[in-house]
Amino acid sequence: MDRQELEQILKVAVSSAGFSLFDFQPAQGDRGVLRVFVFRTDRESPLPALDDCSTIARSLLDHPLVEQFIPGDSTLEVSTPVVIS
């Protein structure tokens, strides 16, 4: 599988939770981190709550093909790209 296939999997999982995929960074090596950045487009605030990020992460971890993109002891991180000042 390549980056485009991973992006499609991520888009489907993220959109099913009511969010949009902003960007992602594939895990590098056996101890890398697959970082997924999401935002909400249909509400006043684009910020996802912690529960939202957890729901998206569980959905991704349940997908049978995502394991291929989290090799070895790598981890999955779901967050927002928004910086709060």
Side-chain angles (χ1 to χ4, degrees), residues 18-85:
F19 291 86
S20 294
L21 179 66
F22 177 78
D23 197 11
F24 69 98
Q25 298 171 346
Q28 302 294 320
D30 286 342
R31 292 184 171 260
V33 178
L34 170 55
R35 291 186 171 89
V36 180
F37 302 100
V38 300
F39 66 99
R40 187 187 323 261
T41 57
D42 62 345
R43 293 190 185 171
E44 291 178 19
S45 173
L47 300 175
L50 181 58
D51 287 344
D52 297 323
C53 291
S54 295
T55 299
I56 293 168
R58 280 191 299 275
S59 173
L60 289 171
L61 290 173
D62 286 344
H63 194 288
L65 299 178
V66 171
E67 286 183 9
Q68 296 175 25
F69 295 101
I70 308 175
D73 290 331
S74 295
T75 57
L76 171 65
E77 178 183 289
V78 178
S79 63
T80 179
V82 178
V83 175
I84 301 172
S85 57

